Amino acid sequence: DGGITQSPKYLFRKEGQNVTLSCEQNLNHDAMYWYRQDPGQGLRLIYYSQIVNDFQKGDIAEGYSVSREKKESFPLTVTSAQKNPTAFYLCASSNSRTSGLYNEQFFGPGTRLTVL
Amino acid sequence: RKEVEQDPGPFNVPEGATVAFNCTYSNSASQSFFWYRQDCRKEPKLLMSVYSSGNEDGRFTAQLNRASQYISLLIRDSKLSDSATYLCVVNRPDRGSTLGRLYFGRGTQLTVWP
C-alpha cells in the first residue's frame, strides 16, 4: 500500500525536552511538508522540502528543525525553544514532477503532541 | 487580511438537504483551488479540485469565480456520512517553491442529522 505514515500517533513531552516526529512516504514524491493545526485554526506551514538535502522555512519555523537526508523521510524535531508545542502535527507530500502549481498534497494521519 | 476566509459554521442540516459553503481568497495570483474534507481528529483528505469552468463529482459541485476571488462547494442530498469539516485550500506561487504553497481556510463544520 502506498501512503504516508507518521509516528507516533500520540506523544507526550515534558517541558524543556526536544522530541522528533517521524514522517515516511513510499509514494516516490519529491516534495514533503510539515504543518501544525491548532483547534479551530487552519493548517500552518512549518517547513517544506522539494528535494533531498534542501528545505525551506514556512510561516512558523521558529522552535522547529527538520532534515531531508532521504527522499522517503522528513522528520520534524520540536525543540524546547518552541513556546506552545501542544498541537496536531501533519506531514504531507506531493509529486513535483506532475503537479506543478496544481500541488495536490496527500497527508499522513498526524501526530498529537501534548506538552505536560 | 487572511489568505483564505471561510464561514466556520457550524451548519446543521437534515439528511437530504442541500448545503452550500463559500470561501474567499485574498491573493489574485492564486492558481489552483481545492476542497479538502477533514473528519474529527483525522487528517485532511482531498475532496475535489476546483476548475474555472466549475466541476461536479456526484453530489458535490465546486465553482470558482476568479473575478470575485470566490470559491463555493455545493452538497446535494446530504448524507449522515457527509458530517465533517470542509477546508477551502488555495495554491499560489511562492519564491521558495516551484510548486507554490497551499493556504488553508479554518474550515466549515457540517453536521447532517437523521
Side-chain angles (χ1 to χ4, degrees):
Chain A
D1 266 346
I4 304 174
T5 57
Q6 290 186 243
S7 61
K9 189 172 181 180
Y10 299 97
L11 187 57
F12 297 89
R13 188 195 93 175
K14 291 182 181 178
E15 277 194 40
Q17 287 181 336
N18 291 357
V19 64
T20 297
L21 281 56
S22 166
C23 177
E24 305 276 332
Q25 54 96 2
N26 61 5
L27 299 167
N28 199 31
H29 285 174
D30 294 309
M32 297 186 74
Y33 309 81
W34 275 105
Y35 294 92
R36 167 181 173 143
Q37 187 176 36
D38 294 281
Q41 304 290 321
L43 277 67
R44 292 184 290 167
L45 183 64
I46 305 172
Y47 268 99
Y48 64 98
S49 167
Q50 287 201 243
I51 56 173
V52 173
N53 292 323
D54 185 62
F55 47 82
Q56 306 290 331
K57 291 182 179 180
D59 297 323
I60 54 165
E62 185 175 350
Y64 299 97
S65 65
V66 293
S67 62
R68 187 88 187 275
E69 297 176 2
K70 298 187 298 182
K71 186 176 183 178
E72 304 78 27
S73 178
F74 191 40
L76 174 75
T77 296
V78 184
T79 75
S80 55
Q82 169 48 234
K83 301 210 183 309
N84 295 298
T86 294
F88 187 37
Y89 290 87
L90 289 156
C91 179
S93 70
S94 65
N95 188 346
S96 61
R97 277 172 284 183
T98 60
S99 295
L101 272 174
Y102 178 71
N103 198 8
E104 175 183 319
Q105 294 184 11
F106 298 89
F107 287 84
T111 292
R112 290 196 179 272
L113 173 64
T114 302
V115 174
L116 304 171
Chain B
R1 185 181 169 189
K2 288 192 183 302
E3 289 272 348
V4 182
E5 304 241 31
Q6 289 183 255
D7 179 349
F11 285 61
N12 297 302
V13 302
E15 269 188 294
T18 296
V19 61
F21 303 140
N22 303 318
C23 165
T24 57
Y25 59 96
S26 61
N27 196 310
S28 59
S30 300
Q31 297 203 4
S32 51
F33 310 89
F34 309 92
W35 285 100
Y36 277 74
R37 171 195 168 125
Q38 186 173 24
D39 292 296
C40 187
R41 301 179 71 81
K42 300 283 190 181
E43 74 275 23
K45 293 186 178 177
L46 180 67
L47 178 66
M48 59 196 301
S49 304
V50 188
Y51 301 116
S52 295
S53 55
N55 48 297
E56 188 174 307
D57 182 2
R59 299 181 293 109
F60 299 85
T61 300
Q63 297 276 355
L64 168 65
N65 184 323
R66 284 188 185 269
S68 302
Q69 296 180 195
Y70 170 92
I71 306 160
S72 66
L73 177 68
L74 183 77
I75 305 176
R76 290 183 301 278
D77 188 23
S78 299
K79 311 289 184 194
L80 297 177
S81 56
D82 294 334
S83 297
T85 297
Y86 291 83
L87 307 179
C88 179
V89 183
V90 167
N91 188 35
R92 67 165 173 83
D94 182 82
R95 271 179 303 180
S97 170
T98 57
L99 294 172
R101 273 192 47 184
L102 294 189
Y103 291 87
F104 292 77
R106 292 186 176 191
T108 299
Q109 187 180 341
L110 171 67
T111 300
V112 181
W113 46 272

